[in-house]
């Protein structure tokens, strides 16, 4: 309500991100509250992969590496991941990395380069480009605007 009332820069992204995090948390803790799926085993695999991805954001999370880690065909994983999450594998990782980066930008004084590395971007320039494409602001601009709010 606060973000909506003030409508400061990036307010809609903050609300959207918060809503997705809340919904993801509910879904993971109580999947039975959502429509039943015909393939619960596949769904549980995707939950395990999501948890793995979110706790290993700074590592190589290529489709090849993750499919090998979970002993599943990469094409099957890609299809199932999109089916169960509504996001492509790459979209999900990018979203999770940017969400973590936004949290670090707001709640730490780490340099942009350090934050980029913490969320899996080995080149700060690539991180800045991806962040700016998604948020419309550079990470530094995002940090400054959010701290002014």
């Amino acid at each position: 309500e606060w973000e909506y009332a003030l409508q400061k820069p990036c307010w809609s992204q903050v609300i959207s991100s918060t809503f997705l995090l809340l919904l993801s948390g509910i879904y993971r803790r109580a999947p039975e509250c959502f429509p039943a799926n015909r393939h619960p085993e596949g769904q549980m695999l995707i939950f395990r992969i999501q948890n793995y991805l979110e706790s290993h954001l700074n590592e190589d999370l290529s489709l090849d590496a993750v499919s090998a880690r979970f002993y599943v065909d990469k094409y099957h994983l890609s299809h199932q991941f999109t089916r169960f999450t509504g996001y492509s594998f790459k979209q999900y990782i990018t979203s999770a990395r940017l969400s973590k980066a936004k949290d670090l930008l707001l709640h730490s004084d780490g340099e942009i380069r350090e934050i980029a590395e913490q969320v899996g971007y080995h080149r700060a320039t690539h991180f800045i480009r991806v962040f700016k494409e998604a948020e419309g602001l550079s990470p530094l601009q995002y940090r400054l605007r959010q701290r002014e709010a």
Side-chain angles (χ1 to χ4, degrees), residues 7-47:
Q7 293 192 6
K8 292 190 178 188
C10 302
W11 70 273
S12 64
Q13 288 88 353
V14 171
I15 290 174
S16 296
S17 296
T18 304
F19 178 72
L20 286 174
L21 286 172
L22 177 65
L23 192 56
S24 296
I26 292 169
Y27 189 65
R28 288 191 185 141
R29 286 171 181 77
E32 67 277 0
C33 294
F34 292 78
N37 196 306
R38 292 178 292 186
H39 304 286
E41 290 174 23
Q43 186 177 28
M44 292 310 296
L45 173 64
I46 298 304
F47 285 149

Side-chain angles (χ1 to χ4, degrees), residues 1-147:
E1 186 176 315
W2 182 258
E3 288 290 336
Y4 179 77
L6 295 178
Q7 293 192 6
K8 292 190 178 188
C10 302
W11 70 273
S12 64
Q13 288 88 353
V14 171
I15 290 174
S16 296
S17 296
T18 304
F19 178 72
L20 286 174
L21 286 172
L22 177 65
L23 192 56
S24 296
I26 292 169
Y27 189 65
R28 288 191 185 141
R29 286 171 181 77
E32 67 277 0
C33 294
F34 292 78
N37 196 306
R38 292 178 292 186
H39 304 286
E41 290 174 23
Q43 186 177 28
M44 292 310 296
L45 173 64
I46 298 304
F47 285 149
R48 288 192 355 253
I49 291 172
Q50 284 177 299
N51 287 329
Y52 175 81
L53 295 175
E54 290 179 18
S55 58
H56 294 86
L57 289 175
N58 63 333
E59 298 175 16
D60 174 23
L61 295 178
S62 66
L63 185 59
D64 287 332
V66 174
S67 63
R69 168 100 168 77
F70 285 88
Y71 306 103
V72 62
D73 178 74
K74 69 180 182 179
Y75 301 106
H76 179 71
L77 172 58
S78 178
H79 175 74
Q80 292 294 87
F81 197 91
T82 302
R83 180 172 168 221
F84 287 117
T85 67
Y87 296 97
S88 73
F89 188 78
K90 184 177 179 178
Q91 288 172 329
Y92 185 88
I93 291 170
T94 300
S95 177
R97 284 179 166 159
L98 292 180
S99 179
K100 175 75 172 176
K102 288 190 279 187
D103 183 57
L104 291 169
L105 286 165
L106 296 180
H107 299 105
S108 80
D109 292 322
E111 294 180 13
I112 303 302
R113 176 189 50 78
E114 294 169 341
I115 291 172
E117 289 175 7
Q118 289 176 16
V119 298
Y121 291 95
H122 302 293
R123 292 187 344 264
T125 54
H126 180 62
F127 167 67
I128 292 167
R129 184 172 45 79
V130 170
F131 192 97
K132 193 168 187 175
E133 283 177 15
E135 299 300 320
L137 300 167
S138 72
L140 183 57
Q141 290 170 327
Y142 177 85
R143 175 184 267 169
L144 294 174
R145 286 198 182 168
Q146 291 300 314
R147 287 187 175 175

